[in-house]
Amino acid sequence: MDKLVEGEVAQRGPLSAAPPAYAVQFFLIPLGVVAITVLVYMGFRSLVMDQRSAKDYLAEVRTGGINRRWPAAYELSRLMADSDVAKDPTLGPELVKAFEASKTDDPRVRRYLALAMGRLTPPLPAQAIPALSDALQDADSETVISAIWALGSLGDPSVVPRLAEMYGSSDSGVRKMTVYALGALPGDGQLRVLSTALNDSAPDVAWNAAVALARHGNRDGVPVLQRMLDRDYVERTVKRPSSTLNDIDPIGEVMISALHAIAALQETSLRDQVANLSHDESNLRVRQVAMETLKALGPA
């Protein structure tokens, strides 16, 4: 799946970024989605090196064979990351129509089309939000996760009540993405659900909730953020192995997310723990972010 997690992290001060960047830096995106993205990208990018446009891929989604539609949908979702493509006023309505027509298609087609829709820029097609909201009832959990991400990415606070209902899912992946999306949306109607999620049975859901609350300036998740700075604790919880191929340290990524949240909150009560990380942490990237966080917290 596309780098859904992508993500889509807007912070204050020197750590500021646009909402899509905020999602990458500040939130813990469901990690399985990232793994799927890498596998798909490596497997098919080498096969699809042409210069077809978004509309070309959309046409192939509609008329191509069964083994061509979902790779075309993937490439379309990738191209939509280009703001110039996403702003095409003629593309959005056709994309929504293709998504609505994909209900009986290969679920992978629907997943990638949902990701593509999540990158649309205002003004949105009238049916974009309703179509994605309907997809929350799909039987395929990955499609539901993609639709939740898209709704959070589009930034319409009217979807908060519908997304809040999704937190009741028994699927931890759905709950995790729900918490992420709620945290990315404006307003405070989601704070009760996010506070509840701090006690979720899945630790990474609780982590996402703490970071999401920090995004809204709410300190209820500070005890969770403090635990996220403890490498030993995170190592006992995170099941993914570190990747020597691309130098990804999943434990470090959790700690960095907590550090960004602490900086956003100006949470000086955790200064000592952050300071310890700035000179004792084995991951140099975590150490660097810890130093930046200390600067954001100001002088002791």
Side-chain angles (χ1 to χ4, degrees), residues 15-35:
L15 300 177
S16 295
Y22 179 83
V24 173
Q25 297 176 19
F26 199 60
F27 283 113
L28 299 167
I29 313 300
L31 304 176
V33 173
V34 177

Side-chain angles (χ1 to χ4, degrees), residues 93-219:
E94 297 304 312
L95 178 56
V96 173
K97 290 179 183 178
F99 180 73
E100 291 179 321
S102 69
K103 291 180 180 179
T104 59
D105 205 339
D106 184 332
R108 291 172 293 185
V109 173
R110 196 155 167 80
R111 296 171 198 167
Y112 293 127
L113 289 179
L115 296 181
M117 289 173 63
R119 295 190 171 98
L120 290 171
T121 58
L124 299 176
Q127 289 303 310
I129 298 297
L132 288 167
S133 298
D134 287 345
L136 299 179
Q137 302 176 19
D138 279 25
D140 179 63
S141 63
E142 292 299 324
T143 300
V144 173
I145 288 172
S146 295
I148 293 171
W149 176 84
L151 288 169
S153 177
L154 292 176
D156 186 344
S158 69
V159 303
V160 166
R162 182 69 182 91
L163 287 181
E165 295 175 4
M166 300 303 297
Y167 180 70
S169 173
S170 60
D171 186 323
S172 63
V174 170
R175 297 199 308 276
K176 187 178 351 181
M177 185 55 76
T178 296
V179 168
Y180 159 72
L182 288 173
L185 289 168
D188 57 8
Q190 60 272 62
L191 297 185
R192 181 182 60 81
V193 173
L194 294 177
S195 294
T196 299
L198 291 173
N199 298 308
D200 196 279
S201 58
D204 48 359
V205 176
W207 298 342
N208 267 358
V211 174
L213 285 167
R215 168 70 178 92
H216 287 267
N218 185 294
R219 299 182 63 255

Side-chain angles (χ1 to χ4, degrees), residues 27-288:
F27 283 113
L28 299 167
I29 313 300
L31 304 176
V33 173
V34 177
I36 294 172
T37 297
V38 174
L39 291 175
V40 172
Y41 185 85
M42 296 300 292
F44 288 92
R45 181 59 181 153
S46 61
L47 301 178
V48 189
M49 295 297 291
D50 56 356
Q51 298 298 316
R52 285 182 288 175
S53 69
K55 290 183 178 178
D56 293 332
Y57 286 120
L58 186 55
E60 188 159 1
V61 168
R62 286 174 159 173
T63 62
I66 189 171
N67 293 321
R68 297 181 64 85
R69 291 197 300 275
W70 77 264
Y74 165 73
E75 287 296 327
L76 174 61
S77 71
R78 185 184 61 83
L79 283 182
M80 291 294 290
D82 184 331
S83 60
D84 290 334
V85 176
K87 288 187 293 188
D88 183 346
T90 66
L91 184 61
E94 297 304 312
L95 178 56
V96 173
K97 290 179 183 178
F99 180 73
E100 291 179 321
S102 69
K103 291 180 180 179
T104 59
D105 205 339
D106 184 332
R108 291 172 293 185
V109 173
R110 196 155 167 80
R111 296 171 198 167
Y112 293 127
L113 289 179
L115 296 181
M117 289 173 63
R119 295 190 171 98
L120 290 171
T121 58
L124 299 176
Q127 289 303 310
I129 298 297
L132 288 167
S133 298
D134 287 345
L136 299 179
Q137 302 176 19
D138 279 25
D140 179 63
S141 63
E142 292 299 324
T143 300
V144 173
I145 288 172
S146 295
I148 293 171
W149 176 84
L151 288 169
S153 177
L154 292 176
D156 186 344
S158 69
V159 303
V160 166
R162 182 69 182 91
L163 287 181
E165 295 175 4
M166 300 303 297
Y167 180 70
S169 173
S170 60
D171 186 323
S172 63
V174 170
R175 297 199 308 276
K176 187 178 351 181
M177 185 55 76
T178 296
V179 168
Y180 159 72
L182 288 173
L185 289 168
D188 57 8
Q190 60 272 62
L191 297 185
R192 181 182 60 81
V193 173
L194 294 177
S195 294
T196 299
L198 291 173
N199 298 308
D200 196 279
S201 58
D204 48 359
V205 176
W207 298 342
N208 267 358
V211 174
L213 285 167
R215 168 70 178 92
H216 287 267
N218 185 294
R219 299 182 63 255
D220 287 353
V222 167
V224 175
L225 295 175
Q226 183 176 18
R227 292 197 295 272
M228 291 168 66
L229 296 181
D230 184 343
R231 176 171 282 274
D232 290 339
Y233 160 72
V234 179
E235 282 181 338
R236 293 194 300 269
T237 307
V238 174
K239 304 302 181 184
R240 293 187 312 149
S242 299
S243 171
T244 56
L245 179 63
N246 50 17
D247 198 31
I248 292 177
D249 173 16
I251 291 88
E253 293 304 310
V254 172
M255 299 169 72
I256 287 170
S257 294
L259 287 167
H260 283 306
I262 290 165
L265 282 175
Q266 295 285 293
E267 188 54 52
T268 57
S269 68
L270 299 180
R271 183 193 303 276
D272 289 347
Q273 196 168 352
V274 173
N276 290 338
L277 289 178
S278 71
H279 50 73
D280 294 339
E281 167 59 31
S282 59
N283 183 313
L284 294 181
R285 183 162 172 254
V286 175
R287 191 185 301 181
Q288 176 63 35

